[in-house]
Amino acid sequence: MNLNNIAIFCGSSNGTNERYLKAANDMGKYLAATNRKLIYGGAKVGCMGELANASLSHHGYVIGVIPQKLVDVEIAHEDITELHTVADMHERKAKMAELADGFIALPGGAGTLEEWFEVFTWLQLGYHKKPCGFLNVNGFYDPLISMLKNTVKEGFMKESYLELIISDQDPKTLIEKMEAFEMSSTSKW
């Protein structure tokens, strides 16, 4: 699978561990070095800003998609390659999904999780066949992966869906795993 355009969901905060900003920086650099377009939430703050700035500083192509409400509070990153202003979060997610060949969640909060889970649910339902991964820095996603294993154990999710989740702590290895991803024609319905 060719992953030329990667959507990344991550925090608009820095987090409490310096590893999170470093991971965002490393991912941005790696995307630029491999000539991949970064598609992200369009903010200039937190891990989102670090990700975009790292890609830009290494001559990367950065596409931001941001709701008007966040433009109004002045957190839009005005210096990126393309900035798409949309009406709301629903439109943001749809635009990012349209532009992306795959999806990665870096550490982040409720918004990061919500955005990633939506595209992961779409994958399960067969709306797309694009890989969904976690950059599992510092074991950040280990508790969530354990929770998802529990949903399988308790009969709320098929084990085959759990196997769709790609996870690694290294940007290069994660993207290589995602490029090897092949979705079977089986969807939930």
Side-chain angles (χ1 to χ4, degrees), residues 71-88:
V71 172
D72 293 344
V73 295
E74 300 180 348
I75 66 165
H77 198 314
E78 306 272 333
D79 299 322
I80 58 178
T81 315
E82 292 180 36
L83 183 64
H84 298 265
T85 302
V86 295
D88 55 35

Side-chain angles (χ1 to χ4, degrees), residues 1 3 123 128-132 163-166 175-184:
M1 170 170 285
L3 295 178
L123 176 63
H128 69 76
K129 294 184 178 187
K130 301 173 185 180
C132 296
E163 294 167 2
L164 297 173
I165 300 170
I166 303 165
I175 291 173
E176 286 172 352
K177 288 178 179 180
M178 291 174 69
E179 286 180 325
F181 175 80
E182 287 185 35
M183 176 68 179
S184 69

